[in-house]
């Protein structure tokens, strides 16, 4: 009945809905990279979660390609394969089993109130399905099945980890200590705005720069970025606050002095948008260049697939062990054992129906 392991564990991951972008990098990926040395790490490719908003055969047909893409994105960003277990969620059916066993511990009203779920339904243009309402419970099962201690995620996932903590506490209080209470590891960087300057960066909104974008794509996207709409020519004093170009420079630039000088010149109307964007494109490409190199290195055929297969087998074992312990703690194992033993006892008694139901 241990609730802690010798090595603390971290679990995080993404749905296979598209490539990772700069928002993921600053929102959670950098934390994951930092934590990989302190924790035994698990990286979920959450295809069951994808099904809560995208369940068309066309989406499902892309799972393998996108799963490989996610793993390659993570490796290129600096996750090291020897530190991490990458795994696909749907080949571990016991995750669903655990989710089902956790369901009595949360109310529909609690789930209906969660803002990120409503937002997800709206963004996906779907009504709240039963599956989407259960999204946080499924995520809790992911986290609890490997008994993770730390969960580095972006802001839109904080509420889900909060649900996980509630479920773990309630479970432990009602049935005995089985789960450690996981901690959210916060992103540390404010949500990154997209190239449209309005909404948070998101692949589906078409305002993202992906980690696998080419230097030319980066340049093109940065030059199309929204800036200060009141600035018609370079000699008009510009606004730095709320200007996405400067918001990005604050996040990605390493030369703070150069950025401060550029802000002064922008406010004074002595530098054009084009020059600032040219600088920003260089800064972003400096961030992505080492990732491009690593991506090439890891693109050996079969390497990523092997990692996923190995990690999935590992997690399946862990999850089966956890579910066994959960069933035992809840008393389900005991109930079944009493029925089984009684059947065996009666089967052994002479003159009673045998195991095959016939009298001897
Ligand atoms: N909800 C995460 C996302 O926004 C994906 C996810 C599923 C996850 N299960 C998880 C993240 C467990 C961290 C831990 O895509």
């Amino acid at each position: 009945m241990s609730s802690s392991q010798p090595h603390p564990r971290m679990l995080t991951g993404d749905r296979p809905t598209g490539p990772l972008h700069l928002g993921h990098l600053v929102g959670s990926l950098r934390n994951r990279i930092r934590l990989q040395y302190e924790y035994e790490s698990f990286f979920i490719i959450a295809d069951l979660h994808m099904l809560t908003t995208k369940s068309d055969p066309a989406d499902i047909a892309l799972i393998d390609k996108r799963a490989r893409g996610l793993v390659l994105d993570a490796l290129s960003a600096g996750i090291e394969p020897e530190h991490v277990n990458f795994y696909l969620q749907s080949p571990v059916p016991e995750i669903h089993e655990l989710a089902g066993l956790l369901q009595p511990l949360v109310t529909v009203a609690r789930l209906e109130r969660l803002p990120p779920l409503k937002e997800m339904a709206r963004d996906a243009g779907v009504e709240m399905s039963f599956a989407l309402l259960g999204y946080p419970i499924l995520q809790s099962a992911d986290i609890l099945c490997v008994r993770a201690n730390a969960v580095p995620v972006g802001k839109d996932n904080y509420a889900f980890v909060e649900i996980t903590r509630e479920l773990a506490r309630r479970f432990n209080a009602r049935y005995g200590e089985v789960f450690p209470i996981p901690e959210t590891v916060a992103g540390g960087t404010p949500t990154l705005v997209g190239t449209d300057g309005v909404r948070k960066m998101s692949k589906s909104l078409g305002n993202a720069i992906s980690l696998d974008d080419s230097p030319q794509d980066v340049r093109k996207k940065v030059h199309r970025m929204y800036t200060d709409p009141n600035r018609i020519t370079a000699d008009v004093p510009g606004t730095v606050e709320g200007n996405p170009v400067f918001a990005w420079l604050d996040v990605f630039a390493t030369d703070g002095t150069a950025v401060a000088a550029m802000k002064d010149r922008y406010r004074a109307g002595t530098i054009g948008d084009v020059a600032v964007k040219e600088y920003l494109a260089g800064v972003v490409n400096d961030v992505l260049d080492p990732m491009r190199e690593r991506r090439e290195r890891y693109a050996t055929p079969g390497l990523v697939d092997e990692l996923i297969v190995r990690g999935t087998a590992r997690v399946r074992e862990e999850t089966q062990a956890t579910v066994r312990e959960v069933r035992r703690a809840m008393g389900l194992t005991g109930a079944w054992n009493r029925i089984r033993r009684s059947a065996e006892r009666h089967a052994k008694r002479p003159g009673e129906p045998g195991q095959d139901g016939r009298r001897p």
Side-chain angles (χ1 to χ4, degrees), residues 33-326:
I33 293 162
R34 185 170 54 81
L35 292 174
Q36 66 180 327
Y37 305 104
E38 301 165 34
Y39 289 86
E40 183 181 8
S41 301
F42 295 87
F43 248 71
I44 187 170
I45 302 153
D47 57 343
L48 296 175
H49 277 102
M50 180 192 82
L51 298 181
T52 65
T53 54
K54 289 171 184 279
S55 56
D56 284 345
D59 290 309
I60 295 169
L62 289 172
I63 287 175
D64 53 339
K65 185 169 163 275
R66 288 182 169 165
R68 288 187 196 103
L70 284 179
V71 172
L72 210 46
D73 283 342
L75 294 175
S76 75
I79 295 287
E80 295 171 12
E82 56 275 20
H83 286 286
V84 175
N85 299 287
F86 290 104
Y87 68 105
L88 188 62
Q89 184 184 30
S90 67
V92 188
E94 292 83 3
I95 295 173
H96 253 147
E97 183 178 356
L98 181 58
L101 294 172
L102 295 172
Q103 281 172 12
L105 302 174
V106 65
T107 66
V108 170
R110 172 79 176 97
L111 297 171
E112 276 175 344
R113 277 199 301 271
L114 294 172
L117 279 188
K118 290 187 200 162
E119 223 171 89
M120 284 166 74
R122 201 196 50 216
D123 289 352
V126 297
E127 276 193 86
M128 180 70 69
S129 68
F130 194 55
L132 186 54
L133 191 66
Y135 188 109
I137 308 177
L138 185 58
Q139 181 155 343
S140 300
D142 296 331
I143 295 167
L144 298 177
C145 75
V146 299
R147 299 178 214 215
N149 307 91
V151 189
V153 283
K155 275 200 183 56
D156 36 5
N157 272 264
Y158 293 177
F160 303 154
V161 183
E162 199 44 50
I163 294 281
T164 309
R165 293 163 57 83
E166 288 174 20
L167 289 174
R169 273 196 222 101
R170 278 191 202 130
F171 186 97
N172 290 348
R174 192 177 286 187
Y175 303 116
E177 289 286 323
V178 170
F179 299 120
I181 311 299
E183 303 284 342
T184 304
V185 182
T189 313
T191 306
L192 193 69
V193 70
T195 52
D196 58 359
V198 185
R199 291 173 296 182
K200 71 167 183 182
M201 186 176 285
S202 157
K203 162 90 179 150
S204 58
L205 296 174
N207 64 3
I209 289 185
S210 300
L211 302 185
D212 66 353
D213 275 353
S214 69
Q216 296 76 359
D217 286 342
V218 168
R219 193 150 275 122
K220 233 186 286 161
K221 288 181 182 178
V222 167
H223 278 284
R224 275 194 309 237
M225 266 174 89
Y226 160 107
T227 53
D228 176 353
N230 298 320
R231 208 170 186 234
I232 302 137
T233 54
D235 53 358
V236 176
T239 309
V240 166
E241 284 67 35
N243 187 327
V245 172
F246 286 102
W248 283 28
L249 281 175
D250 285 341
V251 172
F252 295 110
T254 46
D255 187 347
T257 324
V259 172
M262 209 170 270
K263 285 179 180 171
D264 287 344
R265 291 181 61 197
Y266 197 82
R267 288 194 186 99
T270 59
I271 189 171
D273 279 42
V274 175
V276 179
K277 285 176 171 178
E278 196 50 38
Y279 183 74
L280 175 60
V283 163
V284 171
N285 276 326
D286 284 349
V287 170
L288 295 180
D289 275 340
M291 301 191 193
R292 293 177 179 127
E293 275 167 36
R294 278 193 292 262
R295 184 179 296 275
E296 294 237 327
R297 203 145 24 90
Y298 286 120
T300 320
L303 180 127
V304 165
D305 298 279
E306 254 176 68
L307 287 175
I308 298 173
V309 168
R310 199 190 315 145
T312 304
R314 167 79 203 285
V315 168
R316 180 124 203 241
E317 263 174 46
E318 289 286 337
T319 303
Q320 285 172 335
T322 302
V323 169
R324 223 176 292 131
E325 195 171 324
V326 163

